[in-house]
Amino acid sequence: AILGLSEKALAEYCVSIAKKQGDVESLSRMLEDQGFPKTSVTASFSRELLERLPSSSSGSKRAVSEYKRKEKEASSLARNNESYGLLLDEDEEEELERALAKARGKKRGKADKKSSRNEKVGEAS
């Protein structure tokens, strides 16, 4: 254990400090203040640690652009899906046509009855 800490705890601590500091000099100073040796090894460690950390701004920009790309794809897919309809087999098509014809016939029948009633009322007056 270095500095009386387990390796995992020390690594997590160093990463959290590196995220807050952002540049090699300030990270090295912070680590040296915490008990790291004041040598070029600490500066080298700081530089390597910062290089390995993902940049928070570029990482968030990547995440946002990935989200926007997926959102556009989903929107495009939804628009394409709206243009598709269900396919009916031949039996269902015939039933649908008969039902539509029957419905049209009923509407015409009702309209014919109304017009004949109106004619009768007109003749009676």
Side-chain angles (χ1 to χ4, degrees), residues 7-122:
E7 289 181 29
K8 182 179 179 183
L10 181 61
E12 289 174 356
Y13 177 71
C14 290
V15 168
S16 71
I17 290 176
K19 286 180 180 177
K20 292 176 186 172
Q21 296 305 317
D23 65 275
V24 176
E25 292 78 25
S26 61
L27 177 59
S28 295
R29 257 185 271 115
M30 178 66 90
L31 292 174
E32 290 167 357
D33 291 344
Q34 300 299 320
F36 276 69
K38 295 181 181 188
T39 63
S40 63
V41 174
T42 302
S44 173
F45 172 77
S46 299
R47 184 173 23 269
E48 189 174 328
L49 181 59
L50 285 171
E51 287 173 359
R52 290 183 182 209
L53 287 178
S55 170
S56 62
S57 63
S58 67
S60 64
K61 286 179 184 176
R62 253 185 266 127
V64 168
S65 66
E66 178 70 13
Y67 175 78
K68 285 183 179 180
R69 184 186 62 77
K70 286 182 178 180
E71 192 175 70
K72 284 181 182 178
E73 283 179 14
S75 175
S76 173
L77 185 61
R79 268 186 262 118
N80 285 342
N81 285 344
E82 288 176 0
S83 68
Y84 299 121
L86 295 177
L87 296 177
L88 302 174
D89 65 7
E90 290 179 20
D91 293 338
E92 289 176 333
E93 285 182 41
E94 291 172 5
E95 287 178 31
L96 181 62
E97 287 175 9
R98 274 188 254 127
L100 288 173
K102 192 175 183 181
R104 287 185 197 127
K106 285 184 179 178
K107 286 183 183 177
R108 286 185 190 144
K110 287 182 182 179
D112 289 342
K113 287 181 184 177
K114 283 185 181 178
S115 65
S116 66
R117 281 187 203 152
N118 288 340
E119 288 174 5
K120 290 180 182 175
V121 171

